[in-house]
């Protein structure tokens, strides 16, 4: 008698005498993944250790299980309760605890002056701050400006961050940091993580002033700098953006439309449609495209925080057409003269073609919309800079 391909009284049935299915004895079933554990030399070595020392297996399983069910909860300082492990685990992207006195408003004013006089364009300072903070992902609460990992490998050499420009900015900020920390009284210090964000804030204030709007960009101190040994380069590499429509960056050719990838990036940053629109419009006129291109820079005053992006995007006297069959880059020509006025990507023109986004653009692009736009941009900017300040959220929770 044969059942399931195994003889009831055959030799195969004697492999495991106590295994029964439907009253018949069967050999065990093994997947290729199971067999690999004893056939692959590397896995076999690990398995042998666990056989020889079962306590190692207990410890390894406990750590792996903890990682599995906590890896989307963010860094250790988000975790509450008496059962939080004391160990700093590298997959949680650890950051040193605050160990110095914080700077005050007078220090902030001094440091703003220093970074603005360092010889860099406003767009370079803003780009560095955006590159640092925009790595945040609300899906697993990784990334963000805290830790200043943008100065470490692999982030410092990501194409989206314009490495040459970024390294020049970082070198200047490190010099400013060193000079300030050496001259500060007591234990007062400024971290590079804070200084990167502060430089971006100072640049935005100056760019807004050049557009006739006086605004103070909120800045909250208290970030710390992660060490190289606290950074798993392989693990961090998964934060690298495939596309960042806020900087008109696309790493390759994808089946998904670039404007949809912009929406995905905005979702990871927990941005609403008005917040996303304000940030894109502002970053374009601030000339922060990753490669210095003029796509979407709809202004004759790059570096000035004006509502020109929206005004010129909605201009009915501009006709848009793709430059090739890829339909990724477009040129805008004057309907009367045929003269080319602007160039744009799909991430730029979606704000004119999508009904919801166009309605927002009409508010920001109105004759009285500049102040409203600048205020919206500053609010959205501050939100992105603060996305990973979990220690402040925990303080609010405990209080």
């Amino acid at each position: 008698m044969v059942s399931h391909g195994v003889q009831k009284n055959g030799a195969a049935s004697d492999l495991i005498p106590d295994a029964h299915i439907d009253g018949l004895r069967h050999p065990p079933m093994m997947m290729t993944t199971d067999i690999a554990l004893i056939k692959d030399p590397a896995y076999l070595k690990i398995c042998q250790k666990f056989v020889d020392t079962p306590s190692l297996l207990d410890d390894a399983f406990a750590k792996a299980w903890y990682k599995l069910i906590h890896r989307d909860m963010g860094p250790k300082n988000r975790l509450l309760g008496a059962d939080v492990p004391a160990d700093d685990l590298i997959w949680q992207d650890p950051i040193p605890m605050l160990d110095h006195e914080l700077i005050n408003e007078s220090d902030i004013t001094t440091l703003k002056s220093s970074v603005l006089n360092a010889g860099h364009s406003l767009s370079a300072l803003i780009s560095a701050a955006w590159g640092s903070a925009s790595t945040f992902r609300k899906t697993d609460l990784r990334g963000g400006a805290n830790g200043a990992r943008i100065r470490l490998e692999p982030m410092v050499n990501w194409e989206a961050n314009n490495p040459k420009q970024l390294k020049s900015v970082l070198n200047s900020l490190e010099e400013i940091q060193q000079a300030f920390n050496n001259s500060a009284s007591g234990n007062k210090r400024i971290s590079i993580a804070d200084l990167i964000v502060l430089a971006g804030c100072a640049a935005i204030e100056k760019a807004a002033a050049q557009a006739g709007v006086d605004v103070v960009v909120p800045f909250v101190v208290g970030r710390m700098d992660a060490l190289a040994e606290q950074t798993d380069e392989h693990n961090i590499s998964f934060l690298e953006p495939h596309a960042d429509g806020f900087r008109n960056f696309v790493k390759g050719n994808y089946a998904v439309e670039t404007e949809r990838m912009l929406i995905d990036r905005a979702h990871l940053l927990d941005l609403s449609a008005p917040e996303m629109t304000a940030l894109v419009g502002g970053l374009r006129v601030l000339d922060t495209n990753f490669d210095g291109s003029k796509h979407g820079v709809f202004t004759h005053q790059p570096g000035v925080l004006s509502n020109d992006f929206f005004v010129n995007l909605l201009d009915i006297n501009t006709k848009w057409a793709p430059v090739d069959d890829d339909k990724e880059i477009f040129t805008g020509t004057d309907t009367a003269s045929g003269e080319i006025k602007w160039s744009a990507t799909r991430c730029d023109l979606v704000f004119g073609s999508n009904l919801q986004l166009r309605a927002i653009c009409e508010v920001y692009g109105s004759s009285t919309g500049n102040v409203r736009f600048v205020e919206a941009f500053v609010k959205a900017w501050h939100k992105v800079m603060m996305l990973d300040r979990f220690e402040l959220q925990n303080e609010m929770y405990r209080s």
Side-chain angles (χ1 to χ4, degrees):
M1 178 179 179
V2 177
S3 177
H4 302 289
V6 179
Q7 294 182 357
K8 180 177 180 180
N9 297 316
S13 65
D14 296 329
L15 291 175
I16 301 182
D18 296 327
H20 293 80
I21 299 178
D22 297 332
L24 301 177
R25 291 180 294 176
H26 286 262
M29 297 293 292
M30 296 184 72
M31 302 293 290
T32 303
T33 48
D34 301 318
I35 298 173
L37 296 178
I38 59 174
K39 294 298 183 180
D40 184 280
Y43 287 123
L44 177 60
K45 184 178 180 180
I46 296 171
C47 291
Q48 192 61 55
K49 285 184 178 181
F50 289 155
V51 170
D52 296 339
T53 313
S55 60
L56 289 178
L57 175 60
D58 295 340
D59 184 63
F61 182 86
K63 290 180 177 178
W65 181 260
Y66 176 72
K67 179 178 181 179
L68 175 67
I69 61 177
H70 290 83
R71 66 181 308 158
D72 63 342
M73 293 183 67
K76 182 180 173 181
N77 63 6
R78 288 196 71 253
L79 308 182
L80 304 174
D83 294 328
V84 177
D87 296 341
D88 288 324
L89 304 172
I90 197 167
W91 56 266
Q92 291 177 311
D93 301 332
I95 299 171
M97 296 291 291
L98 183 66
D99 62 355
H100 58 257
E101 181 185 349
L102 298 177
I103 60 175
N104 56 33
E105 289 299 323
S106 176
D107 299 321
I108 290 174
T109 301
T110 299
L111 287 166
K112 283 182 178 179
S113 177
S114 296
V115 297
L116 291 177
N117 292 325
H120 298 286
S121 66
L122 299 183
S123 64
L125 298 175
I126 294 167
S127 294
W130 179 263
S132 182
S134 64
T135 53
F136 183 82
R137 305 190 305 194
K138 78 170 188 178
T139 49
D140 58 5
L141 305 175
R142 296 188 64 204
N146 202 0
R149 285 190 166 88
I150 195 170
R151 77 196 197 286
L152 304 174
E153 292 289 354
M155 200 177 295
V156 71
N157 282 312
W158 286 352
E159 183 184 0
N161 289 335
N162 192 342
K164 183 177 179 180
Q165 174 182 278
L166 173 62
K167 291 174 184 178
S168 177
V169 171
L170 291 175
N171 288 337
S172 295
L173 294 183
E174 288 170 356
E175 291 176 2
I176 294 171
Q177 179 205 31
Q178 185 176 6
F180 177 85
N181 289 349
N182 289 340
S183 63
S185 60
N187 191 37
K188 188 181 293 184
R189 298 287 183 272
I190 179 74
S191 66
I192 285 293
D194 268 343
L195 196 53
I196 290 171
V197 174
L198 180 59
C201 294
I204 290 171
E205 290 175 355
K206 184 173 180 179
Q210 292 176 348
V213 181
D214 291 327
V215 64
V216 176
V217 180
F219 171 71
V220 182
V221 298
R223 298 171 183 83
M224 289 290 289
D225 299 330
L227 306 176
E229 53 266 30
Q230 294 175 311
T231 303
D232 182 344
E233 292 186 22
H234 175 71
N235 202 18
I236 290 294
S237 68
F238 292 106
L239 296 178
E240 182 179 5
H242 293 287
D244 181 359
F246 293 93
R247 292 179 282 185
N248 254 334
F249 170 75
V250 181
K251 191 174 182 180
N253 296 320
Y254 303 101
V256 180
E257 295 94 339
T258 50
E259 65 270 26
R260 293 185 182 275
M261 299 177 79
L262 166 64
I263 301 298
D264 181 64
R265 174 61 50 180
H267 170 72
L268 291 175
L269 294 174
D270 199 25
L271 297 172
S272 65
E275 289 170 337
M276 176 187 71
T277 304
L279 283 170
V280 170
L283 291 172
R284 289 296 187 274
V285 296
L286 289 170
D287 204 14
T288 59
N289 284 344
F290 84 102
D291 57 353
S293 72
K294 296 302 177 182
H295 301 321
V297 186
F298 304 149
T299 181
H300 297 298
Q301 305 177 87
V304 176
L305 187 56
S306 68
N307 64 345
D308 285 357
F309 174 86
F310 307 106
V311 173
N312 291 308
L313 174 69
L314 300 174
D315 185 355
I316 61 173
N317 295 314
T318 302
K319 179 180 180 181
W320 293 97
V323 299
D324 54 33
D325 292 337
D326 289 339
K327 296 183 179 180
E328 289 291 334
I329 306 298
F330 297 76
T331 55
T333 57
D334 186 277
T335 54
S337 66
E339 178 185 357
I340 295 178
K341 299 165 63 177
W342 314 107
S343 66
T345 67
R346 297 178 66 91
C347 287
D348 301 313
L349 297 188
V350 69
F351 291 93
S353 62
N354 179 273
L355 294 179
Q356 180 185 4
L357 298 179
R358 186 181 180 89
I360 299 169
C361 291
E362 289 174 350
V363 174
Y364 294 150
S366 67
S367 59
T368 59
N370 194 53
V371 173
R372 185 169 184 173
F373 155 65
V374 171
E375 291 175 348
F377 177 86
V378 167
K379 186 176 181 180
W381 172 272
H382 179 59
K383 178 178 180 177
V384 173
M385 297 300 117
M386 295 293 291
L387 285 170
D388 65 338
R389 295 301 302 276
F390 305 117
E391 75 279 11
L392 302 180
Q393 298 170 16
N394 281 355
E395 288 176 9
M396 294 175 59
Y397 176 84
R398 292 188 180 97
S399 62

